[in-house]
């Protein structure tokens, strides 16, 4: 199943036909209308959806990608993991972590899959990421059981304003990564059963058509189950919570010389079996579209 948030309402989508079925309408108000309400009742919703046999390709209404929000647009908690690919740690000149370095991206930075990226400074960088959305309360979960707590996977970008992020004496990771529009996600949430191997997905970022990042998610230092085990040992993960799992090598700030985004640049982020994000960089004072 692929589920999205369209103008604040949960919809089941067909990626092939770009058509959707409104969850609240189809369930006569039992689920939704907001994505958060569907995720709060995820197990019950999945059971109902299987019985309802929703077919958005045959029965859905057309939609445009720029109508979509982040698939879980109002999580109670957002986690982001640093240095979770060995090649990214290598290019950063840092040792491989023994536990997942964790920060956040505040919800005010969330955006849908397609739109403009306003550049607040001259040192904005890209970071392609696989994003996990939680589907059930997870507390003290063992890695072996972790996939049963996952609602689905989506594509994310962890845009980062490096000057603010690295300003000190204490770095400002969460703040430098949370400007408006710095956490686009989507285009939809894909349940793990839809993917041949949800642990090994090709991930790629292109800037103006040039591939700048290319890897596979099986190269994560801390796998999705390992992250859920670690995080849920500290605090409960709640339905709708979002986990940015880390980025592979190829970020602009690690290049020699460093390379950052400029007005007019087009950033495309793709993950195998899920879909693509697309942002066009604009000046910070440009009128909002």
């Amino acid at each position: 199943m692929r589920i999205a948030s369209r103008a604040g309402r949960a919809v089941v989508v067909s990626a092939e036909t770009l058509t959707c079925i409104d969850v609240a309408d189809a369930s006569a108000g039992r689920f939704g209308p907001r994505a958060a309400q569907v995720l709060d009742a995820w197990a019950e919703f999945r059971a109902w959806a299987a019985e309802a046999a929703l077919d958005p390709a045959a029965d859905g209404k057309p939609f445009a990608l720029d109508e979509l929000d982040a698939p879980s647009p109002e999580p109670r908690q957002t986690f982001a993991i640093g240095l979770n690919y060995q090649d990214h740690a290598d290019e950063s000149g840092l040792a491989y972590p023994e536990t997942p370095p964790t920060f956040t991206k505040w919800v005010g930075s969330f955006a849908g899959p397609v739109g403009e990226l306003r550049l607040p400074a001259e040192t904005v960088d890209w970071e392609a990421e696989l994003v996990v959305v939680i589907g059930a309360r997870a507390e003290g979960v063992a890695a072996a059981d972790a996939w049963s707590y996952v609602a689905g996977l989506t594509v994310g970008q962890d845009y980062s304003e490096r000057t603010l992020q690295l300003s000190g004496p204490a770095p400002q990771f969460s703040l430098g990564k949370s400007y408006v529009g710095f956490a686009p996600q989507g285009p939809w949430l894909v349940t793990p059963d839809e993917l041949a191997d949800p642990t090994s997905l090709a991930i790629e970022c292109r800037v103006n058509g040039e591939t700048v990042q290319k890897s596979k998610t099986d190269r994560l230092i801390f796998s999705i189950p390992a992250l859920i085990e670690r995080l849920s040992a500290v605090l409960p993960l709640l339905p709708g919570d979002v986990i940015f799992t880390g980025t592979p090598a190829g970020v602009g700030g690690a290049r020699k010389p460093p390379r950052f985004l400029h007005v007019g640049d087009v950033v495309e982020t793709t993950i195998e079996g899920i879909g693509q994000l697309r942002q066009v960089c604009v000046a910070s004072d440009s009128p909002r579209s």
Side-chain angles (χ1 to χ4, degrees):
M1 175 184 292
R2 286 168 169 78
I3 187 165
S5 176
R6 180 194 184 202
R9 296 179 67 90
V11 292
V12 176
V13 305
S14 165
E16 291 76 22
T17 60
L18 289 187
T19 50
C20 66
I21 293 175
D22 186 279
V23 169
D25 289 347
S27 67
R30 182 177 174 186
F31 302 102
R34 296 176 6 255
Q37 294 169 308
V38 174
L39 289 162
D40 274 343
W42 187 247
E44 186 182 359
F45 166 72
R46 287 296 308 275
W48 168 82
E51 290 291 327
L54 304 177
D55 186 357
D59 305 320
K61 297 179 180 179
F63 68 92
L65 291 175
D66 62 5
E67 297 172 350
L68 300 182
D69 315 308
S72 180
E74 45 187 344
R76 283 162 283 202
Q77 303 176 118
T78 303
F79 304 88
I81 308 301
L83 297 178
N84 204 16
Y85 288 78
Q86 289 187 1
D87 56 8
H88 180 48
D90 290 341
E91 71 176 356
S92 301
L94 298 170
Y96 303 153
E98 296 183 4
T99 59
T102 306
F103 54 95
T104 192
K105 289 173 77 75
W106 283 293
V107 176
S109 68
F110 277 28
V114 174
E116 294 178 340
L117 176 69
R118 302 168 73 84
L119 302 179
E122 296 180 352
T123 52
V124 176
D125 205 345
W126 57 82
E127 292 192 14
E129 306 214 8
L130 176 67
V131 173
V132 178
V133 175
I134 298 297
R137 182 186 174 94
E139 188 170 7
V141 171
D145 302 321
W147 276 107
S148 64
Y149 293 85
V150 173
L153 306 175
T154 193
V155 186
Q157 257 290 348
D158 175 19
Y159 287 116
S160 306
E161 202 292 282
R162 298 299 191 195
T163 300
L164 177 56
Q165 176 193 345
L166 301 175
S167 63
Q172 302 287 326
F173 267 61
S174 298
L175 196 60
K177 291 168 172 282
S178 291
Y179 283 92
V180 173
F182 269 36
Q185 296 153 70
W188 30 70
L189 192 67
V190 179
T191 54
D193 59 286
E194 291 282 332
L195 301 165
D197 184 357
T199 70
S200 182
L201 304 171
I203 180 170
E204 183 174 356
C205 178
R206 296 181 298 277
V207 178
N208 301 329
E210 175 191 352
T211 298
V212 292
Q213 290 183 285
K214 189 171 185 178
S215 189
K216 295 199 75 172
T217 60
D218 59 7
R219 298 174 188 167
L220 288 166
I221 296 174
F222 302 102
S223 66
I224 289 170
L227 291 174
I228 291 173
E229 180 179 72
R230 172 61 178 171
L231 295 172
S232 72
V234 176
L235 76 169
L237 307 183
L238 305 173
D241 282 358
V242 168
I243 304 172
F244 282 76
T245 60
T247 197
V251 300
R255 295 169 181 256
K256 296 182 175 33
R259 174 182 173 184
F260 298 111
L261 294 171
H262 298 90
V263 171
D265 285 347
V266 178
V267 184
E268 296 169 304
T269 310
T270 305
I271 297 182
E272 175 187 5
I274 301 178
Q276 183 182 92
L277 311 179
R278 186 177 189 274
Q279 283 78 47
V280 178
C281 299
V282 300
S284 62
D285 57 356
S286 297
R288 295 190 181 274
S289 60

